[in-house]
Amino acid sequence: MEQWKKELAGLDATGMRRSLKVVEDGQGPHVQIDGRDLLLLCSNNYLGIAGHPALVEAAVAATRNFGAGSGASRLISGTLRSHADLEERLACFKGTEAALLFNSGYAANTGILQGLLGPDDLVFSDALNHASIIDGCRLSQARTVVYPHADLAALEELMVMERPQRKGRWLIVTDGVFSMDGDLAPLDALCDLKEANDALLMVDDAHGTGVLGIHGRGSGELLGCLDRIDLHMGTLGKGLGCAGAYLASSRAAIDTLINRSRPFIFSTSLPPAVPASAMAALDLVESEEGAVLRRDLERNRQLFTERLTVGGLDLLGSCTQIVPVLTREPQATMAMSQKLFEQGVFVQGIRPPTVPEGACRLRATVMATHTPEELLQAANLIRDVVRESAV
Ligand SMILES: *Cc1c(COP(=O)(O)O)cnc(C)c1O
């Protein structure tokens, strides 16, 4: 215990200590924390549908019919009708032969990479990929080559270097939307590269699912290459407002995971309320109401980023609803986040190891349900706080 205390004191001293904030009430865009009302600017509930009556009612009905828990892992007796129905729906949504649910995005990425790859295989992984992909690469025992962020020329060069000693499968893995920078992977060019090199492409669309593309099918749809992606990973806990994650892919890939993926096999399946509400979320996403929410989100994103850019802030090339504001050092970043909190705006500061040293940031996320007025006001407050800190 003493050693942990000492290590925690070390984190305090460098502004690296993390702690939890308890949300008392609300699904956003306003929440109650510490007895005050805050504008929520750091939720991944982008469409604002986590508390939508259709999702809530679906969850309640499934709980009434099936109970609170599933009772077992998927291969025992924990595959319920609502899990199977959602998997079929997700395969349709992504245009693949099959799909498989995981209990979280973290479990999905570790489970997909571990289940599909082995020591003879080679993974090419973007330098800014999510931590769960990095951990999945480790668990897979495949050799992993990290390529500079979204750098196609560097990736191609690495492939040329690796070609002579090629043994097994090659897999390129990338976030569709990068979770801390809010930029998009160059998916069409990655498709060209993987096809030219007999490799597979896996896209983690945690932040694109439900949100991007004309039908909400994600970054692949937005960039016009949905049907060329081999492995579509996505989460249900962000844009879709529920929990859990999935892989949509070929029947062979899915059946392999059912047989080999340890996070899939050795864990109790999602409670029935989750797939039932995710089904309702997909209905919503594919409806006219979903299209309106995506339009509102895009309008909000544009006016928020425009106001910050005019204010002279560095948004690190964001082109989605994830809007980072570069602030560099951890202590200053957390002080800015605290100051904004006191002014009624909840936006988290992000520090290493989530982002590289010296690249701390305020990571704001826009929701479809924010009003333009409150976003412009928040952007002004952020601009002022960042500028004050710079002088
Ligand atoms: C959030 C996130 C995950 C993890 O998903 P969870 O369902 O929250 O475990 C995976 N990949 C990316 C890119 C993410 O942003």
Side-chain angles (χ1 to χ4, degrees):
M1 297 293 159
E2 284 311 313
Q3 188 175 351
W4 287 323
K5 280 190 196 158
K6 223 182 274 166
E7 286 169 11
L8 286 167
L11 292 177
D12 276 329
T14 50
M16 296 297 283
R17 173 90 173 245
R18 296 168 185 231
S19 60
L20 304 172
K21 277 206 166 65
V22 180
V23 175
E24 300 293 347
D25 197 13
Q27 267 300 342
H30 290 266
V31 289
Q32 270 67 51
I33 302 176
D34 295 345
R36 53 159 95 212
D37 180 88
L38 287 142
L39 180 71
L40 180 64
L41 214 53
C42 50
S43 168
N44 300 324
N45 175 22
Y46 302 122
L47 297 177
I49 63 174
H52 192 288
L55 276 66
V56 173
E57 287 313 313
V60 169
T63 304
R64 288 231 161 82
N65 289 336
F66 282 104
S70 71
S73 62
R74 291 289 304 273
L75 282 165
I76 307 301
S77 63
T79 297
L80 308 181
R81 173 44 56 199
S82 52
H83 296 106
D85 285 348
L86 180 61
E87 285 173 342
E88 203 169 300
R89 177 67 177 274
L90 285 164
C92 270
F93 186 61
K94 290 288 184 174
T96 61
E97 285 173 11
L100 192 66
L101 288 172
F102 289 84
N103 291 359
S104 70
Y106 186 89
N109 278 332
T110 50
I112 293 162
L113 293 163
Q114 172 269 321
L116 292 181
L117 302 175
D120 281 345
D121 299 324
L122 184 58
V123 183
F124 296 93
S125 177
D126 187 287
L128 293 190
N129 276 344
H130 190 262
S132 54
I133 295 178
I134 298 170
D135 294 358
C137 289
R138 290 181 182 143
L139 212 53
S140 76
Q141 301 183 41
R143 200 155 64 79
T144 302
V145 172
V146 176
Y147 62 90
H149 176 53
D151 187 336
L152 295 159
L155 173 58
E156 189 162 18
E157 207 169 298
L158 287 165
M159 290 182 138
V160 169
M161 271 166 49
E162 292 292 341
R163 201 171 294 143
Q165 64 266 24
R166 178 167 185 170
K167 280 188 280 190
R169 284 167 294 226
W170 278 12
L171 175 76
I172 303 173
V173 60
T174 182
D175 286 11
V177 177
F178 288 88
S179 53
M180 293 300 136
D181 286 41
D183 58 337
L184 286 160
L187 292 182
D188 42 356
L190 287 173
C191 284
D192 293 342
L193 255 185
K194 65 105 181 172
E195 281 157 14
N197 286 278
D198 189 25
L200 298 168
L201 177 64
M202 170 171 164
V203 176
D204 171 347
D205 218 14
H207 299 280
T209 302
V211 171
L212 298 180
I214 193 96
H215 302 100
R217 301 208 166 101
S219 51
E221 184 181 38
L222 180 70
L223 298 173
C225 56
L226 193 67
D227 56 351
R228 294 168 74 195
I229 297 166
D230 302 285
L231 300 152
H232 303 262
M233 179 273 181
T235 64
L236 307 172
K238 290 174 178 163
L240 296 183
C242 302
Y246 62 88
L247 177 74
S249 189
S250 67
R251 188 76 252 170
I254 297 305
D255 286 350
T256 300
L257 291 172
I258 291 171
N259 284 274
R260 287 213 194 123
S261 174
R262 295 170 67 85
F264 174 81
I265 296 170
F266 296 107
S267 199
T268 299
S269 61
L270 289 165
V274 174
S277 53
M279 187 72 102
L282 284 172
D283 285 341
L284 192 60
V285 155
E286 295 195 285
S287 71
E288 181 52 31
E289 188 179 346
V292 169
L293 286 170
R294 280 190 292 280
R295 276 202 295 276
D296 289 349
L297 181 62
E298 177 56 20
R299 175 204 64 201
N300 283 351
R301 179 194 79 75
Q302 278 182 21
L303 61 91
F304 183 67
T305 52
E306 206 173 274
R307 179 61 60 98
L308 292 172
T309 307
V310 168
L313 304 185
D314 182 353
L315 308 186
L316 295 165
S318 159
C319 57
T320 66
Q321 72 280 0
I322 298 171
V323 184
V325 177
L326 184 67
T327 51
R328 300 191 187 281
E329 296 311 321
Q331 267 139 332
T333 303
M334 298 324 282
M336 287 183 238
S337 171
Q338 181 57 31
K339 206 179 263 180
L340 287 163
F341 191 84
E342 281 154 20
Q343 295 175 7
V345 176
F346 184 22
V347 52
Q348 277 286 6
I350 309 284
R351 296 162 282 179
T354 311
V355 294
E357 298 280 343
C360 293
R361 65 203 60 184
L362 296 169
R363 176 181 178 273
T365 49
V366 176
M367 295 169 67
T369 45
H370 284 129
T371 68
E373 294 71 32
E374 61 197 9
L375 281 176
L376 289 174
Q377 206 180 353
N380 290 344
L381 289 172
I382 292 171
R383 176 198 63 201
D384 293 345
V385 162
V386 174
R387 277 188 182 163
E388 269 168 41
S389 153
V391 290

